[in-house]
Amino acid sequence: MLRYALGRILLAVPLLFGLSVLSFVYVRLIPGDPVTAMLGVNSNPTVVAQLREQFGLDRPLLGQYGDWLAGVMRGDFGVSFRSQLPISTIIVDRIPATLQLAGAGLVVSLLIAIPAGVAAGMRPGSRLDSLITSATLFGLAVPAFFLGTLLMLFFSLKLNLVPSQGYVPFADDPAQSLRLTVLPALTLGLAISPYLARLTRSAVLETAQEPFVPFARAKGLAPRKISIGYVLRNALPSLVAALGLTVASLMAGSIVVEALFNWPGTGRLVTGAVTERDYAMVEALLLIYGGLFIAVNLACEIAQSLLDPRVRLT
């Protein structure tokens, strides 16, 4: 087990290096100049040249990348072009809000997707399976911003049950924080639950075809016990792997949801940094989001190997 985990961790190192290269190059391909975006198109050329020298934008790309990568390895992502504040400080201040939204959205999606996927997978071809499959297809086709707008109009403006926008740290006011989290978390959870439900259905359907399931039915066990104690338990390794893949949808959805509900997380930093041509901020966020995706999938692979030792042989 230790050898398998170390091998997976070592494989993540070149992935992170490649991610850093892609993040740096991608940002440099964004049209426009960050200094011109800061000062305007009619800015003084002398001032523009001074700022480009101050930010190191006049240096060769290889030198810029080397300095940036060295700083990243020390935990220093540089200074934001717009606010002139350390990027690490800005991101750390925004992480609690994003973790709260992502955690709540993941809980909502699991509460919806796991029961729906198990119910559909245990009754393939039934009316319930057709209904759930159609609902997931419809859910995949609905954009998160459209879904969030509908929920906002119905639950906030029409019924006045929960606030439509805002954020309060959970430590400051738990009750108000939870009320403000309801709509964003519900939007995010509903947006990613169709994808997770389809993955759950596939895993359950595959496991239900194993020989031990008909044997359990022949023994006269209750359908509920077969679904939970036999099928779901043996499908758990595949569900753990599917959960890792869901992280990408979770991160992408949080960017849209944070912008829609005025949620002060790292997702809003992404949209603001791209709009304002803040190279350093975009590079840092791309690397952090990509690194988080790699880390979560690595953890899911290790957890899957613990639940199913056969995975280590592949």
Side-chain angles (χ1 to χ4, degrees):
M1 178 61 209
L2 181 60
R3 180 181 299 177
Y4 176 83
L6 289 175
R8 291 297 176 179
I9 293 173
L10 290 177
L11 283 177
V13 174
L15 287 176
L16 289 172
F17 176 74
L19 177 63
S20 69
V21 175
L22 289 176
S23 301
F24 183 84
V25 173
Y26 172 77
V27 169
R28 293 307 187 277
L29 295 177
I30 297 177
D33 180 76
V35 176
T36 304
M38 290 172 55
L39 302 178
V41 293
N42 298 321
S43 54
N44 189 321
T46 304
V47 177
V48 172
Q50 290 176 350
L51 284 178
R52 288 184 61 84
E53 182 180 359
Q54 176 183 339
F55 294 138
L57 297 175
D58 59 337
R59 300 182 56 209
L61 288 180
L62 189 59
Q64 293 182 43
Y65 173 74
D67 292 343
W68 175 72
L69 184 60
V72 168
M73 295 180 68
R74 298 192 304 268
D76 179 15
F77 292 96
V79 177
S80 170
F81 290 174
R82 300 293 298 184
S83 64
Q84 297 297 299
L85 295 174
I87 292 176
S88 301
T89 303
I90 298 174
I91 293 177
V92 168
D93 291 339
R94 299 291 190 103
I95 283 178
T98 296
L99 289 180
Q100 179 176 332
L101 174 59
L106 183 60
V107 170
V108 171
S109 67
L110 290 175
L111 292 176
I112 296 173
I114 300 299
V118 171
M122 290 299 296
R123 300 172 180 84
S126 64
R127 291 183 179 180
L128 180 62
D129 181 30
S130 300
L131 178 63
I132 294 175
T133 302
S134 300
T136 56
L137 288 174
F138 178 77
L140 290 173
V142 177
F145 70 87
F146 180 73
L147 177 62
T149 302
L150 291 181
L151 293 176
M152 191 186 302
L153 290 174
F154 185 73
F155 289 104
S156 180
L157 299 182
K158 186 174 182 179
L159 299 181
N160 198 25
L161 294 177
V162 289
S164 61
Q165 292 185 341
Y167 168 74
V168 174
F170 185 81
D172 295 347
D173 189 346
Q176 182 65 8
S177 179
L178 291 176
R179 292 185 72 242
L180 290 169
T181 308
V182 169
L183 280 184
L186 188 60
T187 302
L188 186 58
L190 288 174
I192 65 176
S193 59
Y195 176 70
L196 185 58
R198 292 180 67 84
L199 292 177
T200 302
R201 178 188 180 276
S202 299
V204 169
L205 188 59
E206 182 180 356
T207 306
Q209 296 174 353
E210 295 291 334
F212 61 82
V213 176
F215 180 73
R217 291 196 181 103
K219 289 175 61 178
L221 297 179
R224 181 181 180 86
K225 185 174 183 180
I226 295 175
S227 300
I228 299 176
Y230 286 79
V231 177
L232 186 58
R233 180 180 178 183
N234 286 276
L236 193 57
S238 299
L239 295 180
V240 170
L243 189 62
L245 297 175
T246 308
V247 173
S249 302
L250 190 68
M251 292 189 297
S254 66
I255 296 175
V256 177
V257 172
E258 287 183 12
L260 179 63
F261 290 96
N262 197 26
W263 192 267
T266 56
R268 288 188 63 194
L269 281 180
V270 173
T271 55
V274 171
T275 303
E276 298 168 353
R277 309 293 194 276
D278 194 341
Y279 282 2
M281 181 66 75
V282 176
E283 289 168 352
L285 291 171
L286 284 176
L287 188 61
I288 289 174
Y289 270 72
L292 179 63
F293 178 73
I294 292 174
V296 171
N297 277 274
L298 176 63
C300 288
E301 286 184 358
I302 295 175
Q304 185 185 20
S305 68
L306 289 173
L307 294 171
D308 186 358
R310 294 173 299 178
V311 175
R312 306 173 204 169
L313 302 178
T314 60

